[in-house]
């Protein structure tokens, strides 16, 4: 046996360049799977923190916001950098709650790899599926860590099987647990064929590597054979040796695992119990051994705004600058912009070009972040995640580049809000603070929308869920000292049409001393739910000159923003501009814009308009004895049960329920199940109210 401490040698050769020694990883999971606990251990074992912060004590380094510490959940993604075995690891700890899923989305957009944490008891939970899909969308390679192996009901192979069923990838256990629940002793490494056990006295800092006890020998043999067999199916070089009956070395297994992980064919799976300080160092080794460096990922693509041609930027300091602003944060009133640098370098004091806003920005300071603490640096290079002070106009999703070599990277997609709440300032002094504060919060959070309702003289904030809006109101009071009265949350409805119509709009008036004329014919077609709106211009230039086409499209777009039933936005409509007429001398842009809007509104009136409400996909995990009550309650809320999956002592209920019926559900569910059931919900679709 021998004792492991920090800095042991791994299978990979010492990397040649600095960039190949960088790993940009996110730690993602369903709420309560133990992401932040894993991150805290990573910081402690890499020497970044001198003390382990615990989520339940409100002392986690990465959960630095007061709202996070009080609730014991992660709300905002926090960035930090640590070192492991001469590698630089940039870590983003992301939220697990669905209301803050934009934080995961924008983090995965700029990361090269992800550690997906699963609870050994809960298995593949709803938000685990969401983050997995988000990672797949951006082609992010993953390793999986099955946490909480010491909990009652822990089932390592059950979780692996669920991963195989639910995800379009192959989970490859590189470790198996030695025992589970109270008998969880450590992890058996299938590659080294050794058992790893952690020392409680050193808070898991030290661990021993020994020969595998006889009781696990057969299981080790079977699982190792399975691992090599699966790898041989995925890797031709290994297949030849395997079929030839040759001995396959540890280094060859690691190299093959790295290859299949980076090519998204498979996912290495490890296990442990983060709260008991077991299993974290092998995760760090796996990050280095299996997840890509910026060198290993394909070059980033973008569009040259001048030539409109696609261009690429390789991950190199020698290439022109290309960086993506993926997060904005207000820190003591000053704006911090988080950047992923894909190519080139940035130095403090540089001028950079914001290609989206078409203006130059000055980099006042460059910072390396450790949650909410910062360290000043002079220069940052390709592959790094850094924060910048001094960028006034840059917002989430903007590209910063070299003005002589412009490139626009793909922007980040944002989710549409599903819930609204009216807020108003308590005093006139608070009103000014409220306006300024909301502007800052909207800049930080692209899923937060704010509008002023003239009819009710209220400010309406819209977001992703009740908790999202609750946190916004809390931050207004604490951070910005803006005191507000809050109305009840309201559902954001939509409108659509149910049949095909053709309509026309004619505008002919004298305004001031000028005549305005516009005449437009449209056809409106209902589209499938979730398709969005399409506008197709089929106008002949001989009928209406091309100069007026832009105004017609603008008139249609503006009219779609406000429906005819209750002024909600109109969705899922196919609009075709099919005709109209032109009057020499009287035709005007204003006339055609008004005519187009009139045609659209009249068309909607005659097309059997209907109001749509947001329907949520609700996933409830409840002890089996309360299942009848839970299903009865869902039915009473106009819900539609999609599936019921028994899992040992608990059952999972999946249902579609109108958002309006879900207000206050968490309290009702707690009282119906003695506080033992949990639920999560995500937006599914709009459907008839």
């Amino acid at each position: 046996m021998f004792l492991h401490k920090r800095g042991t040698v791994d299978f990979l050769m010492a990397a040649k360049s600095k960039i190949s020694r960088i790993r940009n990883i996110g730690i993602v999971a369903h709420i309560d799977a133990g992401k932040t606990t894993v991150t805290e251990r990573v910081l402690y074992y890499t020497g970044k923190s001198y003390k382990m912060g615990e989520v339940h004590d409100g002392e986690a380094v990465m959960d630095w916001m007061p709202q996070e510490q009080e609730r014991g959940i992660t709300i905002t993604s926090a960035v930090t950098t640590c070192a492991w075995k001469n590698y630089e690891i940039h870590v983003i700890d992301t939220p697990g709650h669905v209301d803050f899923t934009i934080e995961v989305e924008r983090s995965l957009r700029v990361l090269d790899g992800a550690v997906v944490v699963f609870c050994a008891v809960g298995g593949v939970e709803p938000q685990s599926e969401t983050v997995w899909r988000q990672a797949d969308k951006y082609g992010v390679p993953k390793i999986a860590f099955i946490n909480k192996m010491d909990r009652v009901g822990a089932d390592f192979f059950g979780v692996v099987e669920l991963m195989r069923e639910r995800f379009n990838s192959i989970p490859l256990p590189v470790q198996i647990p030695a025992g589970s629940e109270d008998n969880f002793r450590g992890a058996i490494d299938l590659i080294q064929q050794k058992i790893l056990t952690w020392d409680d006295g050193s808070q898991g800092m030290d661990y021993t590597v020994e020969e595998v006890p006889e009781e696990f020998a057969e299981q080790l043999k079977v699982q190792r054979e399975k691992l090599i067999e699966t790898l041989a199916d995925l890797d031709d070089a290994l297949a030849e040796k395997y079929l030839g009956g040759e001995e396959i070395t540890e280094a060859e297994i690691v190299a093959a695992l790295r290859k299949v992980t980076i090519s998204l064919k498979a996912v290495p799976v490890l296990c442990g119990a983060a709260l008991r300080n077991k299993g974290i160092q092998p995760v760090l080794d796996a990050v280095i051994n299996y997840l890509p460096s910026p060198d290993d990922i394909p070059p980033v693509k973008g569009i040259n705004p001048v030539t409109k041609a696609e261009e690429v930027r390789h991950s190199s300091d020698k290439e022109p600058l290309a960086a993506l602003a993926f997060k904005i944060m207000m820190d003591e009133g000053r704006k911090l912009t988080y950047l992923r640098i894909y190519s080139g370098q940035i130095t403090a004091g540089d001028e950079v070009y914001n290609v989206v806003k078409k203006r130059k920005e000055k980099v006042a300071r460059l910072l390396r972040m450790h949650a909410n603490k910062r360290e000043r640096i002079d220069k940052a290079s390709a592959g790094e995640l850094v924060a910048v002070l001094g960028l006034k106009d840059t917002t989430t999703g903007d590209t910063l580049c070299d003005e002589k070599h412009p490139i626009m990277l793909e922007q980040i997609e944002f989710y549409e809000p599903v819930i609204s709440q009216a807020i108003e300032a308590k005093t006139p002094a608070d009103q000014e603070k409220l306006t300024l504060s909301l502007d800052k919060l909207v800049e930080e959070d692209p899923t937060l929308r704010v509008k002023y309702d003239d009819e009710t003289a209220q400010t309406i904030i819209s977001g992703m869920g009740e908790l999202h809006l609750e946190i916004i109101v809390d931050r207004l009071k604490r951070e910005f000292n803006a005191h507000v009265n809050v109305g009840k949350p309201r559902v954001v409805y939509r409108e659509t049409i149910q049949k095909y119509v053709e309509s026309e709009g004619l505008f002919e008036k004298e305004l001031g001393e000028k005549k305005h004329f516009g005449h437009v014919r449209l056809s409106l077609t209902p589209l499938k739910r979730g398709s969005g709106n399409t506008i197709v211009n089929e106008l002949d230039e001989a009928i209406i000159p091309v100069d007026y086409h832009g105004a017609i499209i603008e008139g249609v777009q503006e009219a779609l923003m406000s429906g005819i039933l209750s002024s909600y936005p109109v969705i899922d409509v196919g609009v075709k501009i099919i005709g109209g007429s032109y009057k020499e001398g009287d035709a005007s842009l204003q006339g055609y814009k008004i005519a187009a809007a009139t045609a659209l509104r009249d068309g909607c009136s005659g097309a059997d308009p209907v109001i749509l409400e947001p329907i949520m996909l609700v996933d409830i995990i409840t002890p089996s004895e309360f299942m009848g009550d839970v299903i009865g309650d869902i039915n009473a809320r106009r819900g539609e049960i999609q599936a019921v999956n028994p899992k040992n002592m608990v059952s999972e209920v999946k249902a579609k329920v109108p958002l309006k019926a879900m207000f206050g559900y968490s309290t009702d569910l707690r009282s119906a199940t003695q506080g033992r059931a949990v639920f999560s919900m995500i937006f599914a679709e709009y459907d008839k109210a």
Side-chain angles (χ1 to χ4, degrees), residues 64-65 328-338 365 367 369-375 387-389 440-441 444 475 479-480:
W64 56 272
M65 289 172 70
I328 305 292
M329 201 175 91
M330 294 298 161
D331 185 31
E332 294 169 1
R334 290 190 297 179
K335 181 171 154 184
L336 266 181
T337 307
Y338 285 79
R365 279 187 197 170
L367 306 163
M369 298 302 292
H370 178 43
N372 61 331
K373 297 185 175 66
R374 37 163 98 167
E375 169 198 340
V388 174
L389 276 173
K440 287 179 177 174
L441 289 171
E444 263 191 36
R475 289 187 64 192
E479 285 174 43
F480 300 99

Short mmCIF file of all heavy atoms in Angstrom, two decimals, residues 64-65 328-338 365 367 369-375 387-389 440-441 444 475 479-480:
data_model
loop_
_atom_site.label_atom_id
_atom_site.label_comp_id
_atom_site.label_asym_id
_atom_site.label_seq_id
_atom_site.Cartn_x
_atom_site.Cartn_y
_atom_site.Cartn_z
N TRP A 64 -21.72 32.92 -2.23
CA TRP A 64 -21.33 34.09 -1.45
C TRP A 64 -22.47 35.10 -1.25
O TRP A 64 -22.41 35.94 -0.38
CB TRP A 64 -20.14 34.79 -2.11
CG TRP A 64 -20.40 35.16 -3.54
CD1 TRP A 64 -20.18 34.38 -4.63
CD2 TRP A 64 -20.97 36.38 -4.02
NE1 TRP A 64 -20.59 35.04 -5.77
CE2 TRP A 64 -21.06 36.27 -5.43
CE3 TRP A 64 -21.40 37.56 -3.41
CZ2 TRP A 64 -21.58 37.29 -6.23
CZ3 TRP A 64 -21.92 38.58 -4.20
CH2 TRP A 64 -22.00 38.43 -5.60
N MET A 65 -23.53 34.98 -2.09
CA MET A 65 -24.63 35.94 -1.95
C MET A 65 -25.42 35.64 -0.67
O MET A 65 -25.63 34.47 -0.35
CB MET A 65 -25.58 35.85 -3.16
CG MET A 65 -25.01 36.38 -4.45
SD MET A 65 -26.10 36.01 -5.84
CE MET A 65 -27.49 37.11 -5.51
N ILE A 328 -22.57 39.35 -16.90
CA ILE A 328 -22.37 40.71 -16.36
C ILE A 328 -22.76 40.66 -14.89
O ILE A 328 -23.74 40.02 -14.52
CB ILE A 328 -23.28 41.74 -17.08
CG1 ILE A 328 -23.08 41.71 -18.60
CG2 ILE A 328 -23.09 43.14 -16.51
CD1 ILE A 328 -21.76 42.19 -19.10
N MET A 329 -21.97 41.32 -14.05
CA MET A 329 -22.30 41.35 -12.62
C MET A 329 -22.04 42.73 -12.06
O MET A 329 -21.03 43.36 -12.42
CB MET A 329 -21.42 40.31 -11.90
CG MET A 329 -21.96 39.88 -10.58
SD MET A 329 -20.94 38.56 -9.90
CE MET A 329 -19.77 39.52 -8.95
N MET A 330 -22.94 43.22 -11.24
CA MET A 330 -22.71 44.50 -10.57
C MET A 330 -22.01 44.23 -9.24
O MET A 330 -22.51 43.44 -8.44
CB MET A 330 -24.04 45.22 -10.31
CG MET A 330 -24.73 45.64 -11.58
SD MET A 330 -23.73 46.81 -12.53
CE MET A 330 -24.48 46.66 -14.13
N ASP A 331 -20.87 44.85 -9.06
CA ASP A 331 -20.10 44.63 -7.84
C ASP A 331 -19.82 45.97 -7.20
O ASP A 331 -19.03 46.76 -7.73
CB ASP A 331 -18.78 43.91 -8.20
CG ASP A 331 -17.98 43.54 -6.97
OD1 ASP A 331 -18.60 43.27 -5.93
OD2 ASP A 331 -16.74 43.53 -7.05
N GLU A 332 -20.52 46.24 -6.09
CA GLU A 332 -20.41 47.52 -5.39
C GLU A 332 -20.62 48.69 -6.37
O GLU A 332 -19.86 49.66 -6.41
CB GLU A 332 -19.03 47.64 -4.71
CG GLU A 332 -18.85 46.63 -3.58
CD GLU A 332 -17.41 46.54 -3.08
OE1 GLU A 332 -16.57 47.28 -3.61
OE2 GLU A 332 -17.16 45.74 -2.18
N GLY A 333 -21.65 48.53 -7.19
CA GLY A 333 -22.00 49.61 -8.12
C GLY A 333 -21.21 49.63 -9.41
O GLY A 333 -21.53 50.38 -10.33
N ARG A 334 -20.14 48.83 -9.48
CA ARG A 334 -19.34 48.83 -10.71
C ARG A 334 -19.63 47.58 -11.53
O ARG A 334 -19.92 46.53 -10.98
CB ARG A 334 -17.85 48.92 -10.37
CG ARG A 334 -17.49 50.30 -9.83
CD ARG A 334 -16.02 50.50 -9.72
NE ARG A 334 -15.40 49.58 -8.77
CZ ARG A 334 -14.10 49.55 -8.51
NH1 ARG A 334 -13.29 50.38 -9.15
NH2 ARG A 334 -13.61 48.72 -7.63
N LYS A 335 -19.51 47.74 -12.85
CA LYS A 335 -19.89 46.65 -13.74
C LYS A 335 -18.70 45.74 -14.04
O LYS A 335 -17.68 46.19 -14.55
CB LYS A 335 -20.43 47.26 -15.03
CG LYS A 335 -20.88 46.27 -16.06
CD LYS A 335 -21.58 47.02 -17.17
CE LYS A 335 -21.50 46.25 -18.47
NZ LYS A 335 -22.08 47.00 -19.57
N LEU A 336 -18.87 44.47 -13.69
CA LEU A 336 -17.85 43.45 -14.00
C LEU A 336 -18.33 42.65 -15.19
O LEU A 336 -19.46 42.16 -15.19
CB LEU A 336 -17.72 42.49 -12.81
CG LEU A 336 -16.66 42.72 -11.75
CD1 LEU A 336 -16.76 41.59 -10.74
CD2 LEU A 336 -15.27 42.75 -12.33
N THR A 337 -17.50 42.50 -16.19
CA THR A 337 -17.86 41.70 -17.37
C THR A 337 -16.98 40.46 -17.40
O THR A 337 -15.75 40.56 -17.41
CB THR A 337 -17.64 42.52 -18.66
OG1 THR A 337 -18.33 43.77 -18.53
CG2 THR A 337 -18.15 41.77 -19.87
N TYR A 338 -17.61 39.28 -17.39
CA TYR A 338 -16.85 38.02 -17.45
C TYR A 338 -16.63 37.64 -18.91
O TYR A 338 -17.58 37.64 -19.71
CB TYR A 338 -17.63 36.90 -16.76
CG TYR A 338 -17.60 36.97 -15.25
CD1 TYR A 338 -18.42 37.85 -14.56
CD2 TYR A 338 -16.75 36.16 -14.51
CE1 TYR A 338 -18.40 37.93 -13.17
CE2 TYR A 338 -16.73 36.21 -13.12
CZ TYR A 338 -17.55 37.10 -12.46
OH TYR A 338 -17.52 37.17 -11.10
N ARG A 365 -9.31 47.37 -15.96
CA ARG A 365 -8.60 46.40 -15.13
C ARG A 365 -8.96 44.99 -15.55
O ARG A 365 -10.09 44.72 -15.94
CB ARG A 365 -9.02 46.55 -13.66
CG ARG A 365 -8.31 47.67 -12.95
CD ARG A 365 -8.66 47.62 -11.46
NE ARG A 365 -8.34 48.87 -10.82
CZ ARG A 365 -8.71 49.19 -9.60
NH1 ARG A 365 -9.42 48.34 -8.90
NH2 ARG A 365 -8.39 50.34 -9.06
N LEU A 367 -9.13 41.05 -14.08
CA LEU A 367 -9.20 40.38 -12.78
C LEU A 367 -9.37 38.88 -12.94
O LEU A 367 -10.07 38.42 -13.85
CB LEU A 367 -10.40 40.91 -11.98
CG LEU A 367 -10.50 42.43 -11.81
CD1 LEU A 367 -11.89 42.82 -11.38
CD2 LEU A 367 -9.49 42.93 -10.79
N MET A 369 -11.07 35.93 -10.95
CA MET A 369 -12.08 35.89 -9.89
C MET A 369 -11.98 34.61 -9.07
O MET A 369 -11.67 33.54 -9.59
CB MET A 369 -13.48 35.98 -10.50
CG MET A 369 -13.76 37.26 -11.25
SD MET A 369 -13.55 38.75 -10.25
CE MET A 369 -14.92 38.59 -9.10
N HIS A 370 -12.26 34.77 -7.78
CA HIS A 370 -12.43 33.61 -6.89
C HIS A 370 -13.74 33.86 -6.16
O HIS A 370 -13.76 34.54 -5.13
CB HIS A 370 -11.25 33.50 -5.93
CG HIS A 370 -11.40 32.35 -4.95
ND1 HIS A 370 -11.83 31.11 -5.35
CD2 HIS A 370 -11.20 32.27 -3.61
CE1 HIS A 370 -11.88 30.31 -4.28
NE2 HIS A 370 -11.51 31.00 -3.22
N ALA A 371 -14.87 33.35 -6.77
CA ALA A 371 -16.22 33.68 -6.32
C ALA A 371 -16.38 35.20 -6.35
O ALA A 371 -16.29 35.79 -7.41
CB ALA A 371 -16.52 33.07 -4.97
N ASN A 372 -16.55 35.87 -5.19
CA ASN A 372 -16.71 37.33 -5.23
C ASN A 372 -15.41 38.06 -4.86
O ASN A 372 -15.39 39.27 -4.71
CB ASN A 372 -17.84 37.77 -4.30
CG ASN A 372 -17.58 37.41 -2.86
OD1 ASN A 372 -16.89 36.42 -2.59
ND2 ASN A 372 -18.12 38.17 -1.94
N LYS A 373 -14.33 37.31 -4.67
CA LYS A 373 -13.03 37.95 -4.39
C LYS A 373 -12.27 38.05 -5.71
O LYS A 373 -12.50 37.27 -6.62
CB LYS A 373 -12.24 37.13 -3.37
CG LYS A 373 -12.94 37.05 -2.02
CD LYS A 373 -12.08 36.33 -1.00
CE LYS A 373 -12.73 36.37 0.38
NZ LYS A 373 -13.99 35.60 0.43
N ARG A 374 -11.35 39.01 -5.78
CA ARG A 374 -10.69 39.22 -7.06
C ARG A 374 -9.18 39.43 -6.90
O ARG A 374 -8.71 39.90 -5.87
CB ARG A 374 -11.31 40.42 -7.74
CG ARG A 374 -11.66 41.51 -6.72
CD ARG A 374 -11.89 42.81 -7.33
NE ARG A 374 -13.30 43.09 -7.52
CZ ARG A 374 -13.75 44.30 -7.82
NH1 ARG A 374 -12.93 45.30 -7.95
NH2 ARG A 374 -15.02 44.51 -7.97
N GLU A 375 -8.48 39.09 -7.95
CA GLU A 375 -7.02 39.24 -7.95
C GLU A 375 -6.66 39.96 -9.26
O GLU A 375 -7.06 39.54 -10.35
CB GLU A 375 -6.41 37.83 -7.92
CG GLU A 375 -4.94 37.74 -8.17
CD GLU A 375 -4.51 36.31 -8.56
OE1 GLU A 375 -5.25 35.32 -8.28
OE2 GLU A 375 -3.43 36.20 -9.13
N ALA A 387 -12.36 38.36 -15.63
CA ALA A 387 -13.36 39.43 -15.49
C ALA A 387 -12.67 40.76 -15.82
O ALA A 387 -11.46 40.91 -15.62
CB ALA A 387 -13.91 39.46 -14.07
N VAL A 388 -13.46 41.70 -16.35
CA VAL A 388 -12.91 42.98 -16.80
C VAL A 388 -13.72 44.11 -16.18
O VAL A 388 -14.96 44.04 -16.14
CB VAL A 388 -12.97 43.08 -18.35
CG1 VAL A 388 -12.54 44.45 -18.82
CG2 VAL A 388 -12.11 42.02 -18.99
N LEU A 389 -13.04 45.14 -15.71
CA LEU A 389 -13.70 46.38 -15.27
C LEU A 389 -13.49 47.42 -16.35
O LEU A 389 -12.41 47.48 -16.95
CB LEU A 389 -13.08 46.88 -13.97
CG LEU A 389 -13.61 46.28 -12.66
CD1 LEU A 389 -12.76 46.77 -11.49
CD2 LEU A 389 -15.06 46.66 -12.40
N LYS A 440 -29.85 47.97 -13.85
CA LYS A 440 -28.63 47.20 -13.55
C LYS A 440 -28.91 45.70 -13.48
O LYS A 440 -28.13 44.89 -13.97
CB LYS A 440 -28.01 47.68 -12.23
CG LYS A 440 -27.35 49.06 -12.37
CD LYS A 440 -26.76 49.55 -11.07
CE LYS A 440 -26.06 50.89 -11.28
NZ LYS A 440 -25.60 51.47 -10.03
N LEU A 441 -30.04 45.34 -12.85
CA LEU A 441 -30.38 43.92 -12.73
C LEU A 441 -30.70 43.29 -14.09
O LEU A 441 -30.36 42.14 -14.34
CB LEU A 441 -31.56 43.73 -11.77
CG LEU A 441 -31.25 43.98 -10.28
CD1 LEU A 441 -32.53 43.99 -9.46
CD2 LEU A 441 -30.29 42.94 -9.73
N GLU A 444 -27.56 42.47 -15.83
CA GLU A 444 -26.96 41.25 -15.27
C GLU A 444 -27.68 39.99 -15.73
O GLU A 444 -27.07 38.97 -15.99
CB GLU A 444 -27.10 41.28 -13.73
CG GLU A 444 -25.90 41.78 -13.01
CD GLU A 444 -26.03 41.52 -11.51
OE1 GLU A 444 -26.58 40.51 -11.09
OE2 GLU A 444 -25.55 42.38 -10.73
N ARG A 475 -33.07 41.41 -3.68
CA ARG A 475 -31.85 42.14 -4.05
C ARG A 475 -32.12 43.65 -4.17
O ARG A 475 -31.26 44.46 -3.83
CB ARG A 475 -31.29 41.60 -5.37
CG ARG A 475 -30.68 40.20 -5.23
CD ARG A 475 -29.99 39.77 -6.48
NE ARG A 475 -28.86 40.63 -6.79
CZ ARG A 475 -28.20 40.62 -7.95
NH1 ARG A 475 -28.56 39.79 -8.90
NH2 ARG A 475 -27.19 41.44 -8.16
N GLU A 479 -29.41 45.19 -1.79
CA GLU A 479 -28.24 45.74 -2.50
C GLU A 479 -28.44 47.19 -2.91
O GLU A 479 -27.51 47.97 -2.92
CB GLU A 479 -27.95 44.91 -3.76
CG GLU A 479 -27.31 43.57 -3.46
CD GLU A 479 -27.17 42.72 -4.72
OE1 GLU A 479 -26.78 43.27 -5.78
OE2 GLU A 479 -27.46 41.51 -4.65
N PHE A 480 -29.68 47.53 -3.30
CA PHE A 480 -29.90 48.86 -3.88
C PHE A 480 -30.71 49.77 -2.97
O PHE A 480 -30.98 50.91 -3.31
CB PHE A 480 -30.61 48.71 -5.23
CG PHE A 480 -29.82 47.90 -6.24
CD1 PHE A 480 -30.11 46.56 -6.46
CD2 PHE A 480 -28.77 48.47 -6.94
CE1 PHE A 480 -29.38 45.81 -7.37
CE2 PHE A 480 -28.04 47.73 -7.86
CZ PHE A 480 -28.34 46.41 -8.08
#
